Amino acid sequence: MNQRTFHIRTYGCQMNESDSERIAGTLIDRGYSMVSTPDDAELVVLNTCSIRDGAENKVYSDLGRLRMLEAERGQPMKIAVAGCVAQQEGARILARDRGVNLVFGSRAISQLGDMLPRLEAGERLVEVDIHTRPDAPDSHVRPDPWRAFVTVMEGCDNHCAFCVVPATRGPEVSRAPEGIVDEVEQLAAAGCVEVTLLGQNVTSYGRGLSCGTDFAGLLERIHAVPGIRRIRYTTSHPKDFSERLMDTLARLPKVARHLHLPLQSGSNRVLERMGRGYTVAEYMRRIERIRALIPDIAVTTDMIVGFPGETGADFEQTLDAVRDIGYLNLYGFKYSRRPNTAALALDGHLDDEVRSARLEKLLTLQKAITLARHQSLVGSLREVLVEGVSRRNAERLSGRLEENLLVHFSGDPDWQGTFRTVRITSATSSALLGEDLGEEDPLETAGLADGKTFELTRGAVR
Ligand code: 5AD
Ligand code: SF4
């Protein structure tokens, strides 16, 4: 009999990408092989996102398309809906779409292996109970050996009024540090140089653990793993972004000088209605403090415009905050109504027209700031971790600076997963262009190449 095949499509955040790697690992352990399109796949998994209505709607339109594909090819296709929409909608998905065979939530991936024989036998199944992931590293299929997402915690105990995550991903649970360090050690032994630590709220890592390790302590332990050269983490919450954590970030050179710290609004009145637990001034103080400790740290943020009750004056305060803080970049979103969230009951819901106009204004402002920040890097020598051949131009490689900025430059595709020294030669608001200066110590390279000293960022000298 032919080997069973599956195709997986991932929507949404890095946590979902990481979950898809676990889903793929589980399926491969059970004898399936992965295919890159749904065309001939026996099982298609949609790992869904419900953070905003746009993401959720995409899932339903893709389900329609899959059913058409199934009819065209004349071969049965099993469809599994996983992730946050699965968790949120549960059995309603099976009732709404006869083509769906399995629904399993973001916190039920550990149950997938046991459900497969029943799925294969023709049952239609739903599993949306909250299960905690096993502490031992489980099966993952990671696309690149040199970088990895590592989940350090799941769920969220905050209740931001707009956010569906506490309902879909359940209460916050931190993994024990030993299991995480074990996983990172295994990754490093297999050639991984960059890890991204994932959690809805990594700054509260460790709450509820009996060992007393907090996020700062976890970073120290991961930092000590030989072979790991870059550590990223996301997402941080301003209210738990402590002095102790800031000191640790400043002390540990492998931790990327990039902080993603969602502000969400520049108006205290809106922050209060969102239930975020900090004021704009408190947020600013943290930014000032971290910049005092790590002067060239790049700060990025998430911002929501058009939250219920947001006035024109509130929105102007958001623009002011964006100007004052000088983010390297931001993710701006129009407020979107989500089921089971407190914001639904608030007054002052705004028309799409108002929300769209505000979003456009915010993004235009940020684009100019981002461009100026990118241009300020032109001429500098920077350390780039090569990701591979550029998706847009096969003649070029793409890689990332520690701020997560994309750099395109000419080089050898074999450099994938290695660090290069690159001189930044030009910039747009979306990426940088550079030229490769080799893998030598950039200080030496600078001297050899030009006979003069360049201003070097910390990313380049490590
Ligand atoms: N509407 C718009 N944006 C949202 N986000 C979360 N929930 C909503 C919503 N209901 C944004 C927040 C969060 C990011 C991941 O998505 O800015 O930080
Ligand atoms: Fe959602 Fe707030 Fe939790 Fe982030 S911290 S996942 S925005 S509830």
Side-chain angles (χ1 to χ4, degrees), residues 110-180:
S110 54
Q111 310 304 301
L112 175 62
D114 291 344
M115 288 187 287
L116 279 177
R118 292 169 59 196
L119 174 76
E120 287 158 6
E123 270 186 69
R124 297 180 82 211
L125 302 159
V126 181
E127 176 56 276
V128 288
D129 289 346
I130 304 277
H131 298 265
T132 299
R133 75 159 58 207
D135 251 339
D138 51 6
S139 300
H140 269 257
V141 176
R142 292 184 162 101
D144 303 304
W146 45 273
R147 67 171 162 191
F149 292 128
V150 175
T151 299
V152 301
M153 60 195 302
E154 301 192 280
C156 181
D157 281 349
N158 296 320
H159 289 279
C160 302
F162 50 80
C163 190
V164 75
V165 165
T168 57
R169 288 196 173 261
E172 186 178 293
V173 183
S174 294
R175 285 177 69 193
E178 290 72 27
I180 299 170

Coordinates of all heavy atoms in Angstrom, one line a residue, residues 110-180:
S110 N -0.8 17.1 21.5 CA -0.3 15.8 22.1 C -1.2 14.7 22.0 O -0.8 13.5 22.1 CB 0.0 16.1 23.6 OG -1.1 16.5 24.3
Q111 N -2.5 14.9 21.6 CA -3.5 13.9 21.5 C -3.6 13.3 20.1 O -4.3 12.3 19.8 CB -4.9 14.4 21.9 CG -4.9 15.1 23.3 CD -4.4 14.2 24.4 OE1 -4.9 13.1 24.6 NE2 -3.3 14.6 25.0
L112 N -2.9 14.0 19.1 CA -3.1 13.7 17.7 C -2.8 12.3 17.4 O -3.5 11.6 16.7 CB -2.3 14.7 16.9 CG -2.3 14.4 15.4 CD1 -3.7 14.5 14.8 CD2 -1.4 15.4 14.6
G113 N -1.6 11.8 17.9 CA -1.2 10.5 17.6 C -2.2 9.4 17.9 O -2.5 8.5 17.1
D114 N -2.9 9.6 19.1 CA -3.9 8.6 19.5 C -5.1 8.7 18.7 O -5.9 7.7 18.6 CB -4.2 8.8 21.0 CG -3.0 8.4 21.8 OD1 -2.1 7.8 21.3 OD2 -3.0 8.8 23.0
M115 N -5.4 9.9 18.1 CA -6.6 10.0 17.3 C -6.5 9.5 15.9 O -7.5 9.2 15.3 CB -7.0 11.5 17.3 CG -7.5 12.1 18.6 SD -8.2 13.8 18.4 CE -6.7 14.7 18.2
L116 N -5.3 9.4 15.4 CA -5.1 9.0 14.0 C -5.8 7.7 13.6 O -6.4 7.7 12.5 CB -3.6 9.0 13.6 CG -3.0 10.4 13.4 CD1 -1.5 10.2 13.1 CD2 -3.6 11.0 12.2
P117 N -5.6 6.6 14.3 CA -6.2 5.4 13.9 C -7.7 5.5 13.7 O -8.3 5.0 12.8 CB -5.9 4.4 15.0 CG -4.7 5.0 15.7 CD -4.8 6.4 15.6
R118 N -8.4 6.3 14.6 CA -9.8 6.5 14.5 C -10.2 7.3 13.3 O -11.1 7.1 12.6 CB -10.4 7.1 15.8 CG -10.2 6.1 17.0 CD -10.5 6.8 18.3 NE -11.8 7.4 18.4 CZ -12.2 8.3 19.3 NH1 -11.4 8.7 20.2 NH2 -13.4 8.7 19.3
L119 N -9.3 8.3 13.0 CA -9.5 9.2 11.8 C -9.4 8.3 10.6 O -10.2 8.4 9.7 CB -8.5 10.3 11.8 CG -8.5 11.2 10.5 CD1 -9.6 12.1 10.6 CD2 -7.2 12.0 10.4
E120 N -8.4 7.5 10.6 CA -8.1 6.6 9.4 C -9.3 5.6 9.2 O -9.6 5.2 8.1 CB -6.8 5.9 9.5 CG -5.6 6.8 9.4 CD -4.3 6.3 10.0 OE1 -4.3 5.2 10.5 OE2 -3.3 7.1 10.0
A121 N -9.9 5.2 10.3 CA -11.0 4.2 10.2 C -12.3 4.9 9.8 O -13.3 4.3 9.7 CB -11.2 3.5 11.6
G122 N -12.3 6.2 9.6 CA -13.4 6.9 9.1 C -14.2 7.7 10.1 O -15.3 8.3 9.7
E123 N -13.8 7.8 11.3 CA -14.6 8.6 12.3 C -14.4 10.0 12.1 O -13.3 10.5 11.6 CB -14.0 8.2 13.7 CG -14.8 7.1 14.4 CD -14.3 6.9 15.9 OE1 -14.6 7.8 16.7 OE2 -13.6 5.9 16.1
R124 N -15.3 10.9 12.5 CA -15.1 12.3 12.5 C -15.0 12.7 14.0 O -15.8 12.3 14.8 CB -16.4 13.0 11.9 CG -16.6 12.7 10.4 CD -17.8 13.4 9.9 NE -17.5 14.8 9.5 CZ -18.4 15.8 9.6 NH1 -19.6 15.6 10.1 NH2 -18.0 17.0 9.2
L125 N -13.9 13.4 14.3 CA -13.5 13.6 15.7 C -13.2 15.0 16.0 O -12.8 15.8 15.2 CB -12.1 12.9 15.9 CG -12.1 11.4 15.6 CD1 -10.6 11.0 15.4 CD2 -12.6 10.6 16.8
V126 N -13.5 15.3 17.3 CA -13.2 16.7 17.8 C -12.4 16.5 19.1 O -12.8 15.8 20.0 CB -14.5 17.4 18.2 CG1 -14.2 18.8 18.7 CG2 -15.4 17.5 16.9
E127 N -11.3 17.2 19.3 CA -10.6 17.2 20.6 C -10.2 18.7 20.9 O -9.2 19.2 20.3 CB -9.4 16.3 20.5 CG -8.5 16.3 21.8 CD -9.2 16.0 23.0 OE1 -9.9 16.9 23.6 OE2 -9.2 14.8 23.5
V128 N -10.9 19.3 21.8 CA -10.5 20.7 22.1 C -10.3 20.9 23.6 O -10.3 22.1 24.0 CB -11.6 21.7 21.5 CG1 -11.5 21.8 20.0 CG2 -13.0 21.4 22.0
D129 N -10.1 19.9 24.3 CA -9.8 20.0 25.7 C -8.4 20.6 25.8 O -7.6 20.4 24.9 CB -9.9 18.7 26.5 CG -11.3 18.3 26.6 OD1 -12.2 19.1 26.4 OD2 -11.5 17.1 26.9
I130 N -8.1 21.3 26.9 CA -6.8 21.8 27.1 C -5.9 20.7 27.7 O -6.1 20.2 28.8 CB -6.8 23.0 28.1 CG1 -7.8 24.0 27.6 CG2 -5.5 23.6 28.4 CD1 -7.3 25.0 26.6
H131 N -4.8 20.4 26.9 CA -3.8 19.4 27.4 C -2.5 20.1 27.5 O -2.2 21.0 26.7 CB -3.7 18.3 26.4 CG -4.9 17.5 26.2 ND1 -5.2 16.3 26.9 CD2 -6.0 17.7 25.4 CE1 -6.4 15.8 26.6 NE2 -6.9 16.7 25.7
T132 N -1.8 19.8 28.6 CA -0.4 20.5 28.7 C 0.5 19.6 27.9 O 0.5 18.4 27.9 CB 0.0 20.5 30.2 OG1 -1.0 21.4 30.8 CG2 1.3 21.2 30.3
R133 N 1.5 20.3 27.2 CA 2.4 19.6 26.4 C 3.3 18.7 27.2 O 3.6 19.1 28.4 CB 3.2 20.5 25.4 CG 4.3 21.2 26.2 CD 5.3 21.7 25.2 NE 4.8 22.6 24.2 CZ 5.4 22.7 23.0 NH1 6.5 22.0 22.7 NH2 4.9 23.5 22.1
P134 N 3.8 17.6 26.7 CA 4.7 16.7 27.5 C 6.0 17.5 27.8 O 6.4 18.3 26.9 CB 4.9 15.5 26.6 CG 4.4 15.9 25.3 CD 3.5 17.0 25.4
D135 N 6.6 17.3 28.9 CA 7.8 18.0 29.2 C 9.0 17.6 28.4 O 9.8 18.5 28.1 CB 8.1 17.9 30.7 CG 7.8 19.3 31.4 OD1 7.8 20.3 30.7 OD2 7.6 19.3 32.6
A136 N 9.1 16.4 28.1 CA 10.2 15.9 27.2 C 10.1 16.5 25.8 O 8.9 16.7 25.4 CB 10.2 14.4 27.2
P137 N 11.2 16.8 25.2 CA 11.0 17.3 23.8 C 10.3 16.3 23.0 O 10.6 15.1 23.0 CB 12.5 17.5 23.3 CG 13.4 17.4 24.5 CD 12.6 16.7 25.6
D138 N 9.3 16.7 22.2 CA 8.6 15.8 21.4 C 9.0 15.9 19.9 O 9.8 16.7 19.6 CB 7.0 15.8 21.6 CG 6.5 17.3 21.5 OD1 7.3 18.1 21.2 OD2 5.4 17.5 21.8
S139 N 8.3 15.2 19.1 CA 8.7 15.2 17.7 C 8.4 16.6 17.0 O 7.3 17.1 17.2 CB 7.9 14.2 16.9 OG 8.1 12.9 17.4
H140 N 9.4 17.1 16.4 CA 9.2 18.3 15.6 C 9.9 18.0 14.2 O 10.9 17.4 14.2 CB 10.1 19.5 16.2 CG 9.4 20.3 17.2 ND1 8.9 21.5 16.9 CD2 9.1 20.1 18.5 CE1 8.4 22.0 18.0 NE2 8.5 21.2 19.0
V141 N 9.3 18.6 13.2 CA 10.0 18.6 11.9 C 10.3 20.0 11.6 O 9.5 20.8 11.3 CB 9.1 18.0 10.8 CG1 9.9 18.1 9.5 CG2 8.8 16.6 11.1
R142 N 11.6 20.3 11.8 CA 12.0 21.7 11.6 C 12.6 21.9 10.2 O 13.4 21.1 9.8 CB 13.0 22.2 12.7 CG 12.3 22.2 14.1 CD 13.3 22.7 15.1 NE 12.6 23.1 16.3 CZ 12.5 22.4 17.4 NH1 13.1 21.2 17.5 NH2 11.9 22.9 18.5
P143 N 12.1 23.0 9.5 CA 12.6 23.1 8.1 C 14.1 23.4 8.0 O 14.7 23.0 7.0 CB 11.8 24.3 7.6 CG 11.0 24.9 8.8 CD 11.1 24.0 9.9
D144 N 14.7 24.1 9.0 CA 16.1 24.4 8.9 C 16.8 23.8 10.1 O 16.4 24.0 11.2 CB 16.3 25.9 8.9 CG 15.6 26.6 7.7 OD1 15.8 26.2 6.6 OD2 14.7 27.5 8.0
P145 N 18.0 23.2 9.8 CA 18.7 22.7 11.0 C 19.4 23.7 11.8 O 19.7 23.5 13.0 CB 19.8 21.8 10.3 CG 19.9 22.3 8.9 CD 18.6 22.9 8.6
W146 N 19.6 24.9 11.3 CA 20.4 26.0 11.9 C 19.6 26.9 12.7 O 20.1 27.8 13.4 CB 21.2 26.7 10.9 CG 20.5 27.1 9.7 CD1 20.3 26.3 8.5 CD2 19.8 28.3 9.5 NE1 19.5 27.0 7.7 CE2 19.2 28.2 8.2 CE3 19.6 29.5 10.2 CZ2 18.4 29.2 7.7 CZ3 18.8 30.5 9.7 CH2 18.2 30.4 8.5
R147 N 18.3 26.9 12.7 CA 17.4 27.7 13.5 C 16.2 27.0 14.0 O 15.8 26.0 13.3 CB 17.0 29.0 12.8 CG 16.1 28.7 11.7 CD 15.5 30.0 11.1 NE 14.9 29.8 9.8 CZ 14.6 30.7 9.0 NH1 14.6 32.0 9.3 NH2 14.1 30.4 7.8
A148 N 15.7 27.4 15.1 CA 14.6 26.6 15.7 C 13.7 27.5 16.6 O 14.2 28.4 17.3 CB 15.1 25.5 16.5
F149 N 12.4 27.3 16.5 CA 11.5 27.9 17.5 C 11.5 26.9 18.6 O 11.4 25.7 18.4 CB 10.1 27.9 16.9 CG 9.9 28.9 15.8 CD1 9.3 28.5 14.6 CD2 10.2 30.2 16.0 CE1 9.1 29.4 13.6 CE2 10.0 31.2 15.0 CZ 9.4 30.8 13.8
V150 N 11.5 27.4 19.8 CA 11.3 26.6 21.0 C 10.3 27.2 21.9 O 10.4 28.3 22.4 CB 12.7 26.5 21.8 CG1 12.5 25.7 23.1 CG2 13.8 25.8 20.9
T151 N 9.2 26.5 22.1 CA 8.1 27.0 22.9 C 8.5 26.9 24.4 O 8.9 25.8 24.8 CB 6.8 26.2 22.7 OG1 6.5 26.3 21.3 CG2 5.7 26.6 23.5
V152 N 8.4 28.0 25.1 CA 8.8 27.9 26.6 C 7.5 27.9 27.4 O 7.6 27.5 28.6 CB 9.8 29.0 27.0 CG1 11.0 28.9 26.1 CG2 9.2 30.4 26.9
M153 N 6.4 28.4 26.9 CA 5.2 28.4 27.7 C 4.0 28.5 26.7 O 4.2 28.8 25.6 CB 5.2 29.7 28.6 CG 5.2 31.0 27.8 SD 5.6 32.4 28.8 CE 4.3 32.3 30.0
E154 N 2.9 28.1 27.2 CA 1.7 28.1 26.4 C 0.6 28.9 27.1 O 0.6 28.9 28.4 CB 1.2 26.7 26.2 CG 2.2 25.8 25.5 CD 1.6 24.5 25.1 OE1 1.4 23.6 25.9 OE2 1.2 24.4 23.9
G155 N -0.3 29.4 26.4 CA -1.5 30.1 27.0 C -1.2 31.5 27.5 O -0.1 32.0 27.4
C156 N -2.2 32.1 28.0 CA -2.1 33.5 28.6 C -3.1 33.7 29.7 O -4.3 33.4 29.5 CB -2.3 34.5 27.4 SG -2.1 36.2 28.0
D157 N -2.6 34.3 30.8 CA -3.5 34.6 31.9 C -4.0 36.0 31.9 O -4.7 36.4 32.9 CB -2.8 34.3 33.2 CG -2.9 32.8 33.5 OD1 -3.6 32.0 32.8 OD2 -2.1 32.3 34.5
N158 N -3.5 36.8 31.0 CA -4.0 38.2 30.9 C -5.4 38.2 30.2 O -5.7 37.2 29.5 CB -3.0 39.1 30.1 CG -1.7 39.2 30.8 OD1 -1.7 39.3 32.0 ND2 -0.6 39.1 30.1
H159 N -6.1 39.2 30.4 CA -7.4 39.3 29.7 C -7.5 40.6 29.1 O -8.4 41.4 29.4 CB -8.5 38.9 30.7 CG -8.5 37.5 31.0 ND1 -9.0 36.5 30.2 CD2 -7.9 36.8 32.1 CE1 -8.8 35.3 30.7 NE2 -8.2 35.5 31.9
C160 N -6.7 40.9 28.1 CA -6.8 42.1 27.3 C -8.2 42.0 26.6 O -8.5 41.0 26.1 CB -5.7 42.2 26.3 SG -4.0 42.2 27.1
A161 N -8.9 43.2 26.7 CA -10.3 43.1 26.3 C -10.5 42.7 24.8 O -11.6 42.3 24.5 CB -10.9 44.5 26.6
F162 N -9.5 42.9 24.0 CA -9.7 42.7 22.6 C -9.3 41.2 22.2 O -9.5 40.8 21.1 CB -8.8 43.6 21.7 CG -7.3 43.7 22.2 CD1 -6.4 42.7 21.8 CD2 -6.9 44.7 23.0 CE1 -5.1 42.8 22.3 CE2 -5.6 44.8 23.5 CZ -4.7 43.8 23.1
C163 N -8.6 40.5 23.1 CA -7.9 39.3 22.7 C -8.5 38.0 22.9 O -9.0 37.7 24.0 CB -6.5 39.3 23.4 SG -5.4 38.1 22.7
V164 N -8.5 37.2 21.9 CA -9.2 35.9 21.9 C -8.3 34.8 22.4 O -8.7 33.7 22.8 CB -9.7 35.5 20.5 CG1 -8.6 35.1 19.6 CG2 -10.8 34.5 20.5
V165 N -7.0 35.1 22.6 CA -6.0 34.1 22.9 C -6.2 33.4 24.2 O -6.1 32.1 24.2 CB -4.5 34.7 22.8 CG1 -3.5 33.8 23.5 CG2 -4.1 35.0 21.4
P166 N -6.6 34.1 25.3 CA -6.8 33.3 26.5 C -7.9 32.3 26.3 O -7.9 31.2 26.9 CB -7.2 34.4 27.5 CG -6.5 35.6 27.0 CD -6.6 35.5 25.5
A167 N -8.9 32.6 25.4 CA -10.0 31.6 25.2 C -9.5 30.5 24.3 O -10.0 29.3 24.4 CB -11.2 32.3 24.5
T168 N -8.6 30.7 23.4 CA -8.2 29.7 22.4 C -7.0 28.9 23.0 O -7.0 27.7 22.8 CB -7.8 30.2 21.0 OG1 -6.8 31.2 21.2 CG2 -9.0 30.9 20.4
R169 N -6.1 29.5 23.6 CA -4.9 28.8 24.0 C -4.9 28.5 25.5 O -3.9 27.9 26.0 CB -3.6 29.6 23.6 CG -3.4 29.5 22.1 CD -2.0 29.9 21.7 NE -1.8 29.7 20.3 CZ -1.1 28.6 19.7 NH1 -0.7 27.7 20.5 NH2 -1.0 28.5 18.5
G170 N -5.9 28.9 26.2 CA -6.1 28.5 27.5 C -5.2 29.2 28.5 O -4.4 30.1 28.2
P171 N -5.2 28.7 29.8 CA -4.4 29.4 30.8 C -2.9 29.2 30.6 O -2.5 28.2 29.9 CB -4.8 28.7 32.1 CG -5.6 27.5 31.7 CD -6.0 27.6 30.3
E172 N -2.1 30.1 31.2 CA -0.7 30.1 31.0 C 0.0 28.9 31.8 O -0.3 28.7 32.9 CB -0.2 31.4 31.6 CG 1.2 31.7 31.4 CD 1.5 33.1 32.0 OE1 1.1 34.1 31.5 OE2 2.3 33.1 33.0
V173 N 0.8 28.2 31.1 CA 1.6 27.1 31.7 C 3.0 27.2 31.2 O 3.2 27.2 29.9 CB 1.0 25.7 31.3 CG1 1.8 24.6 32.0 CG2 -0.4 25.6 31.6
S174 N 4.0 27.3 32.1 CA 5.4 27.3 31.6 C 5.9 25.9 31.6 O 5.6 25.1 32.5 CB 6.2 28.1 32.6 OG 5.8 29.5 32.6
R175 N 6.8 25.6 30.6 CA 7.5 24.3 30.6 C 8.6 24.4 31.6 O 9.2 25.4 31.9 CB 8.1 24.1 29.2 CG 7.2 23.7 28.1 CD 7.9 23.6 26.8 NE 8.8 22.4 26.8 CZ 9.8 22.2 25.9 NH1 9.9 23.1 24.9 NH2 10.5 21.2 25.9
A176 N 8.9 23.2 32.2 CA 10.0 23.2 33.1 C 11.3 23.5 32.4 O 11.5 23.1 31.3 CB 10.2 21.8 33.7
P177 N 12.2 24.3 33.1 CA 13.5 24.7 32.4 C 14.3 23.6 31.9 O 14.9 23.7 30.8 CB 14.2 25.6 33.4 CG 13.5 25.3 34.7 CD 12.1 24.8 34.4
E178 N 14.3 22.5 32.7 CA 15.2 21.3 32.2 C 14.8 20.8 30.9 O 15.7 20.6 30.0 CB 15.1 20.2 33.2 CG 15.7 20.4 34.6 CD 14.9 21.4 35.4 OE1 13.7 21.5 35.2 OE2 15.5 22.1 36.3
G179 N 13.5 20.7 30.6 CA 13.1 20.2 29.3 C 13.4 21.1 28.2 O 13.8 20.7 27.1
I180 N 13.4 22.4 28.5 CA 13.7 23.4 27.5 C 15.2 23.4 27.2 O 15.6 23.4 26.0 CB 13.3 24.8 27.9 CG1 11.7 24.9 28.2 CG2 13.7 25.9 26.9 CD1 11.3 26.2 28.9

